[in-house]
Amino acid sequence: MNTFTINEKEYKARPFDFELVCDLEDMGIEISEIGQKQLSFIRAYFGICAGVSKKEAGKQIEAHIANGGDFTELSNIISKEVEKSDFFHSLQQRTKTEVTENKN
């Protein structure tokens, strides 16, 4: 299992499955908006992994950055989890197909 560290505390990365996508929606991030709301997406993903609210996730990320941290490790973990997720790729493909069909 992949892990990442924020504020010297280690967290388990969540796989990009149906449950995570639903949890992201509950945190206000639609799958189609991830590219436009990158920081909100990172905050939501961290909040889900940490089991904290959006507000608390934001505070912890802010403290992490203020103490010299960055988004590199968390971004890399997210990329790895997305890359290995068949569910996420299928969902993205369907979204692209629906958008294309609606334009025609």
Side-chain angles (χ1 to χ4, degrees), residues 5-6 13 15 30-31 38 41 60 69-71 79 81 91 97:
T5 303
I6 298 288
E30 299 293 328
I31 199 87
Q38 292 178 4
F41 169 61
Q60 288 189 35
D70 60 29
F71 293 116
S79 293
E81 293 298 328
L91 197 57
T97 301

Side-chain angles (χ1 to χ4, degrees), residues 13-69:
R14 286 271 308 267
F16 275 80
D17 56 13
F18 179 73
E19 288 299 318
L20 179 72
V21 172
C22 291
D23 289 344
L24 286 169
E25 287 180 353
D26 289 345
M27 296 279 263
I29 303 297
E30 299 293 328
I31 199 87
S32 61
E33 298 176 328
I34 288 174
Q36 294 83 28
K37 295 184 173 184
Q38 292 178 4
L39 293 178
S40 295
F41 169 61
I42 288 171
R43 177 185 65 177
Y45 182 79
F46 170 66
I48 291 165
C49 292
V52 298
S53 68
K54 288 190 301 189
K55 187 173 184 173
E56 180 60 28
K59 287 180 182 180
Q60 288 189 35
I61 289 172
E62 188 172 335
H64 177 71
I65 299 298
N67 290 321

